[in-house]
Amino acid sequence: MNRLIRIVPSLAASLAAMLAAILGLTCGDPTPTKPIQQLTTNVILISIDTLRPDHLGCYGYEAPTSPNIDRLCEDSVTFGQVIAQAPSTLHSHASILTSLIPHHHQATWGGKTRLPEAATTLAEVLSEEGYSTAAFTGGGQMDRIFGLDQGFDSYTQPGENRFMGTVRRAIQWLEENPSRPFFLFLHSYEVHHPYEPTPEYLALFEQDYQGSLPPQIDIDLLRQINKKELEINSSDLAHIVSAYDAEIRSMDDALGVLVETLRRQDLYDETMIIFTSDHGEEFGEHGVVGWHSHSLYDELLRVPLIIKMPGARSAGARVDSQVRSIDIAPTVLSTLELPIPEDFEGVAVAELGNDADFVELETVSRMDRAPGRDISSFRTQDWKLVRKSLYDLEEDPREQWDLALSRRDVAEELQRRLDEAIAAGERLEPVQVTPTDSTLEELRALGYID
């Protein structure tokens, strides 16, 4: 049975209006306003690079990786099926901040192009509305040379390996900048490879590993494994996953410090907190270990999304219908009762509750590659087209069985809708950049270049 729901994703404005009617959201009103909500609500956007949702307790993981994130979920709306627009850092974060799919915003590592100034970022909108805006990022593909600093009063790359260091920088900024409201963007590579947990964190997840791999999993080791130069067994793979999980727990402790500080400073209730990631990580699902950016399968595209609304509205709600990373920026603006730019391609989703009727949001994602080597996917709630392969996500959620030949009707329909979505938006003019030596060194440490 063909379960396709025929909604064209490129009709973002119409879809936003439909959601506004259903949910009572303000969406796309071009009339400038200074609402009460905006004057009292701060915004903190947290992106933990390479964080899989299925390794968090609030998403069903049994290992103790995320006690503080889980507590945040109790005050928040948790989205169970969130799809990133790319499996790599720059491509995906540009989509988060601009609400544009990668085909349109043109910020690429593969093409060495920055985010064009013609793009409208969430920070630019909030800055124009009187928000103080600051970002603390991990550099590399988040380096300001790639244009992600647009709209930020300060955009700092403190070089912190741990999220705790980033959090402490952010707390210092809050203390030194008492003006309100504020928009704070925090990004960390802590759970990105290499996995270098401290011994006390690793001990939380394994005590009896007897294999030959070291406690810290570096880039060269992962390259050897993925080139088949080093064979590993199931115990070795579990050890690598434990090192990844240990870094999640370290990051989670830092989040706990941030939340406690917000409570102590009487900022928690009046602050909207968005917790997410840019992409996931593969641990052998399709033959690669401890790596990303190489495919468009769900282990790389599914990300967490937890939104604590002002006053903890809709606390504890869960939404399992599909949403996208491009929906984050419109959701922030809708919550603040601010107009959503016409060029945003996402829609506002945060007011959804457990039993809300929901219009299916279809998702376009893209691998970050050099010009002329476009590799994209198109995902509905039930089906996914990856290159020329088709997967029935209801029957085959691990994407193991290609049905492109037996369900050509579905494959052709999804390809048509993918082409239509890409053609519908404006492709901004790419602006090429040359990374600095320091940026190249950061990228080398993260495994992006040899």
Side-chain angles (χ1 to χ4, degrees):
M1 181 177 67
N2 190 333
R3 300 189 301 278
L4 290 173
I5 300 176
R6 296 178 177 271
I7 299 175
V8 178
S10 61
L11 299 179
S14 299
L15 187 51
M18 292 171 63
L19 282 174
I22 295 171
L23 307 173
L25 298 173
T26 301
C27 193
D29 182 359
T31 305
T33 61
K34 294 291 182 182
I36 294 175
Q37 183 77 285
Q38 179 226 349
L39 296 177
T40 60
T41 300
N42 307 303
V43 180
I44 300 178
L45 172 60
I46 301 168
S47 178
I48 304 300
D49 212 288
T50 323
L51 179 60
R52 289 176 60 140
D54 59 352
H55 282 244
L56 303 177
C58 53
Y59 284 85
Y61 201 51
E62 294 184 357
T65 55
S66 56
N68 291 294
I69 296 171
D70 299 345
R71 279 191 287 272
L72 181 64
C73 285
E74 295 174 2
D75 289 342
S76 307
V77 181
T78 301
F79 293 83
Q81 185 163 274
V82 186
I83 308 301
Q85 272 50 79
S88 54
T89 299
L90 173 59
H91 234 29
S92 183
H93 278 104
S95 287
I96 291 171
L97 294 173
T98 67
S99 190
L100 298 176
I101 63 174
H103 308 73
H104 299 155
H105 64 58
Q106 299 286 11
T108 71
W109 164 244
K112 307 300 185 290
T113 53
R114 61 173 284 130
L115 183 68
E117 292 184 5
T120 303
T121 69
L122 175 61
E124 286 177 310
V125 175
L126 294 179
S127 180
E128 290 174 359
E129 293 292 337
Y131 275 67
S132 298
T133 58
F136 296 87
T137 80
Q141 289 196 24
M142 298 295 291
D143 193 292
R144 65 188 314 139
I145 196 173
F146 294 113
L148 301 182
D149 61 336
Q150 289 181 198
F152 286 103
D153 301 329
S154 63
Y155 189 92
T156 306
Q157 299 158 195
E160 301 285 356
N161 292 327
R162 307 287 183 194
F163 188 44
M164 186 69 78
T166 304
V167 164
R168 296 199 187 285
R169 296 291 190 104
I171 291 172
Q172 181 181 356
W173 183 88
L174 288 173
E175 293 171 345
E176 295 175 352
N177 295 271
S179 61
R180 303 290 183 264
F182 63 79
F183 170 46
L184 191 57
F185 172 44
L186 306 181
H187 163 267
S188 175
Y189 282 115
E190 179 159 22
V191 309
H192 187 288
H193 60 224
Y195 312 133
E196 300 175 324
T198 59
E200 58 268 28
Y201 280 109
L202 184 58
L204 295 173
F205 299 94
E206 75 174 10
Q207 292 79 37
D208 57 355
Y209 172 64
Q210 301 296 319
S212 61
L213 300 184
Q216 297 190 337
I217 309 301
D218 64 26
I219 298 295
D220 288 340
L221 179 61
L222 290 171
R223 284 200 177 105
Q224 290 177 44
I225 293 170
N226 290 318
K227 290 178 180 178
K228 309 304 181 186
E229 297 171 354
L230 177 64
E231 295 293 329
I232 62 171
N233 56 32
S234 59
S235 177
D236 295 328
L237 178 59
H239 170 66
I240 294 172
V241 172
S242 292
Y244 174 79
D245 287 347
E247 293 216 330
I248 296 176
R249 180 59 181 266
S250 172
M251 173 276 298
D252 181 83
D253 281 353
L255 179 70
V257 170
L258 176 63
V259 170
E260 179 57 31
T261 300
L262 294 174
R263 292 186 185 277
R264 191 170 60 250
Q265 296 183 356
D266 293 326
L267 293 172
Y268 181 77
D269 288 343
E270 63 193 49
T271 299
M272 182 182 189
I273 301 174
I274 305 96
F275 180 90
T276 191
S277 180
D278 54 344
H279 56 76
E281 189 83 303
E282 181 177 344
F283 291 113
E285 290 87 353
H286 289 90
V288 176
V289 175
W291 217 262
H292 52 270
S293 80
H294 58 278
S295 81
L296 292 165
Y297 293 113
D298 272 9
E299 59 267 18
L300 300 189
L301 291 184
R302 293 190 72 156
V303 295
L305 179 58
I306 299 161
I307 300 180
K308 189 200 78 68
M309 299 289 284
R313 296 201 312 269
S314 303
R318 184 177 177 95
V319 177
D320 286 318
S321 296
Q322 179 169 287
V323 299
R324 300 85 47 97
S325 295
I326 57 172
D327 298 324
I328 291 173
T331 297
V332 170
L333 297 180
S334 177
T335 301
L336 301 178
E337 301 176 18
L338 291 173
I340 298 173
E342 292 183 359
D343 57 344
F344 275 20
E345 295 174 335
V347 297
V349 297
E351 297 290 348
L352 291 170
N354 288 312
D355 299 317
D357 292 329
F358 190 65
V359 177
E360 180 186 10
L361 298 176
E362 299 171 340
T363 305
V364 174
S365 301
R366 182 181 184 274
M367 292 171 64
D368 190 345
R369 291 292 184 267
R373 297 177 57 201
D374 186 54
I375 300 173
S376 303
S377 66
F378 189 86
R379 192 187 197 281
T380 72
Q381 192 85 11
D382 299 324
W383 293 96
K384 185 174 178 183
L385 184 72
V386 181
R387 298 188 184 186
K388 298 298 181 181
S389 298
L390 177 70
Y391 300 99
D392 182 337
L393 298 175
E394 183 176 314
E395 299 295 331
D396 178 28
R398 292 175 59 85
E399 300 167 278
Q400 301 292 316
W401 299 99
D402 181 7
L403 300 180
L405 292 178
S406 60
R407 293 305 310 268
R408 287 183 179 176
D409 58 328
V410 178
E412 291 172 358
E413 171 69 0
L414 292 187
Q415 184 64 54
R416 181 189 67 78
R417 287 150 71 178
L418 170 62
D419 294 341
E420 189 175 58
I422 294 172
E426 177 188 359
R427 289 178 182 262
L428 300 180
E429 190 67 30
V431 180
Q432 200 149 38
V433 295
T434 301
T436 64
D437 289 342
S438 61
T439 301
L440 290 173
E441 198 58 40
E442 292 168 352
L443 290 163
R444 188 170 290 108
L446 292 165
Y448 287 110
I449 55 179
D450 294 334

